[in-house]
């Protein structure tokens, strides 16, 4: 019988213990030797990770002062929404007097039938707004002026026994009033819409026009207010997207521009806070109904 291969035994060899530890056979671990190990995991002769993964208290790292908590990715857990603390939500709720510390527009529960047809199922509806009544100032002024001018002209022509001209003046007044009514109806069906994914403008009575811009593509947004706009609380929104001209670049005469600006910016940069606040409000409303 030949001697085993390797250097002769030396009790003073400093690397002897390390070599013996490295060449020591791995013991077979049974299913009852602790959680996270066993043959049921797919390996018959060695340890395997269990399905219960996540943050765990491990042995830590020696000499480094670490806590030993390690992150293990769970592929089956999916996306987990970040946790919004109570301190972060405190600035979004009303105080004891009932006035909110931040001015944000209230959200409607459901979109109108005019808007609902343009939203896809996974989209979160945030609100819709008609343009400020100043948008109708020009048609209304024309209608008022036409009423006074054509009314005076019809009375004058009636005294001159010119029946044909009087009829023309009356028909002209009806035409102007029909145009004014058309402008009012067009204003009524003109909506600015905000969701968690995009902003939209829908307008038109016979020919419908739908313009939209994804929130992720908005590179710059601002609103402008003239002195009259500041006095009557309306403004013009200007949206930029990668420096390109867009169909939704300028939206004029929107009401409450400062509050609407905060709503859009919050949806762009703090969508988790919006969801958390809406969920909190829904829970409080259910609690009030139950009480």
């Amino acid at each position: 019988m030949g001697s085993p291969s390797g250097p002769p035994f030396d009790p003073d060899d400093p690397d002897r213990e390390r070599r013996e530890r490295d060449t020591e056979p791995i013991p077979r671990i049974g299913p009852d030797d602790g959680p996270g190990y066993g043959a049921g995991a797919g390996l018959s002769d060695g340890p395997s990770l269990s399905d219960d993964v996540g943050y765990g208290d491990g042995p830590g790292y020696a000499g480094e002062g670490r806590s030993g908590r390690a992150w293990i990715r769970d592929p089956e857990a999916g996306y987990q929404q970040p946790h919004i603390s109570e301190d972060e939500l405190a600035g979004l709720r009303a105080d004891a007097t009932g006035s909110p510390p931040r001015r944000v527009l209230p959200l409607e529960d459901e979109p109108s039938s005019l808007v609902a047809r343009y939203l896809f199922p996974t989209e979160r509806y945030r609100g819709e707004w008609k343009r400020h009544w100043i948008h109708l100032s020009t048609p209304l002024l024309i209608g008022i002026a036409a009423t006074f001018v054509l009314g005076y002209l019809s009375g004058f022509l009636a005294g001159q026994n010119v029946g044909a001209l009087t009829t023309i003046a009356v028909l002209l007044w009806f035409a102007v009033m029909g145009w004014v009514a058309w402008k009012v109806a067009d204003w009524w069906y003109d909506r600015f819409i905000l969701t968690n994914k995009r902003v939209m403008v829908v307008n038109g009575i016979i020919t419908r026009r739908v313009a939209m811009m994804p929130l992720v593509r908005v590179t710059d947004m601002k609103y402008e207010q003239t002195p009259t706009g500041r006095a009557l609380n309306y403004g013009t929104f200007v949206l930029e997207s990668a420096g390109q001209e867009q169909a939704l670049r300028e939206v004029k005469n929107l009401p409450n521009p400062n509050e609407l600006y905060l709503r859009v910016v919050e949806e762009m940069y703090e969508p988790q806070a919006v969801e958390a606040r809406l969920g909190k409000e829904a829970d409080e409303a259910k609690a009030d109904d139950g009480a």
Side-chain angles (χ1 to χ4, degrees), residues 96-114:
T97 62
S99 60
R102 298 183 186 178
R103 301 184 64 190
V104 291
L105 290 172
L107 296 177
E108 293 84 355
D109 294 332
E110 297 292 337
S112 64
S113 58
L114 175 66

Side-chain angles (χ1 to χ4, degrees), residues 134-147 150 170-188 205:
I134 200 68
H135 193 69
L136 295 173
S137 59
T138 300
L140 292 178
L141 289 176
I142 292 177
I144 293 173
T147 300
L150 294 177
V170 172
L171 293 177
L172 183 60
W173 180 83
F174 274 110
V176 172
M177 289 297 103
W179 176 79
V180 172
W182 178 271
K183 288 296 184 179
V184 172
D186 185 67
W187 166 81
W188 178 261
I205 299 177

Side-chain angles (χ1 to χ4, degrees), residues 5-278:
S5 61
F9 175 77
D10 185 0
D12 297 330
D13 186 1
D15 296 332
R16 178 175 58 84
E17 293 184 1
R18 180 180 60 80
R19 287 199 302 270
E20 291 178 355
R21 185 173 65 252
D22 293 343
T23 57
E24 183 178 345
I26 299 176
R28 181 182 180 87
I29 300 175
D32 298 331
D33 290 335
Y37 296 94
L43 298 177
S44 60
D45 294 328
S48 63
L49 292 175
S50 69
D51 293 335
D52 187 12
V53 293
Y55 280 102
D57 293 332
Y61 298 90
E64 296 183 3
R66 302 185 181 179
S67 63
R69 300 181 69 88
W71 169 254
I72 303 175
R73 184 186 179 97
D74 184 0
E76 298 181 355
Y79 171 74
Q80 299 294 330
Q81 291 187 354
H83 175 69
I84 306 298
S85 65
E86 288 295 328
D87 294 337
E88 293 174 319
L89 290 175
L92 302 177
R93 291 197 290 265
D95 54 17
T97 62
S99 60
R102 298 183 186 178
R103 301 184 64 190
V104 291
L105 290 172
L107 296 177
E108 293 84 355
D109 294 332
E110 297 292 337
S112 64
S113 58
L114 175 66
V115 173
R117 69 187 69 179
Y118 303 108
L119 305 179
F120 51 88
T122 58
E123 201 169 15
R124 302 290 183 88
Y125 169 79
R126 298 303 189 213
E128 60 185 88
W129 297 270
K130 294 190 294 290
R131 296 181 192 258
H132 194 269
W133 61 264
I134 200 68
H135 193 69
L136 295 173
S137 59
T138 300
L140 292 178
L141 289 176
I142 292 177
I144 293 173
T147 300
F148 281 101
V149 172
L150 294 177
Y152 175 80
L153 182 61
S154 298
F156 175 77
L157 294 176
Q160 300 296 323
N161 295 323
V162 186
L165 295 179
T166 303
T167 303
I168 293 175
V170 172
L171 293 177
L172 183 60
W173 180 83
F174 274 110
V176 172
M177 289 297 103
W179 176 79
V180 172
W182 178 271
K183 288 296 184 179
V184 172
D186 185 67
W187 166 81
W188 178 261
Y189 287 105
D190 190 349
R191 304 295 172 90
F192 178 83
I193 307 160
L194 174 64
T195 72
N196 66 325
K197 298 182 182 296
R198 53 182 172 159
V199 291
M200 304 171 59
V201 170
V202 178
N203 55 21
I205 299 177
I206 297 178
T207 302
R208 299 294 290 170
R209 294 177 293 273
V210 180
M212 75 95 178
M213 180 183 295
L215 291 177
V216 295
R217 294 189 57 189
V218 177
T219 58
D220 184 30
M221 183 182 69
K222 64 180 180 179
Y223 72 91
E224 301 172 351
Q225 279 187 293
T226 62
T228 305
R230 296 182 64 184
L232 299 179
N233 198 19
Y234 71 90
T236 298
F237 272 70
V238 180
L239 304 174
E240 298 286 348
S241 176
Q244 299 177 359
E245 288 291 334
Q246 302 290 333
L248 195 60
R249 185 180 184 276
E250 188 176 85
V251 186
K252 297 181 178 180
N253 301 329
L254 287 177
N256 304 315
N258 186 67
E259 291 81 356
L260 185 54
Y261 175 82
L262 292 177
R263 171 65 61 204
V264 176
V265 170
E266 185 183 30
E267 197 64 53
M268 290 171 58
Y269 296 106
E270 295 291 342
Q272 294 87 359
V274 177
E275 294 290 342
R277 187 180 69 253
L278 294 180

Side-chain angles (χ1 to χ4, degrees), residues 274-287:
V274 177
E275 294 290 342
R277 187 180 69 253
L278 294 180
K280 197 75 174 180
E281 291 175 356
D283 294 340
E284 291 176 356
K286 292 180 180 178

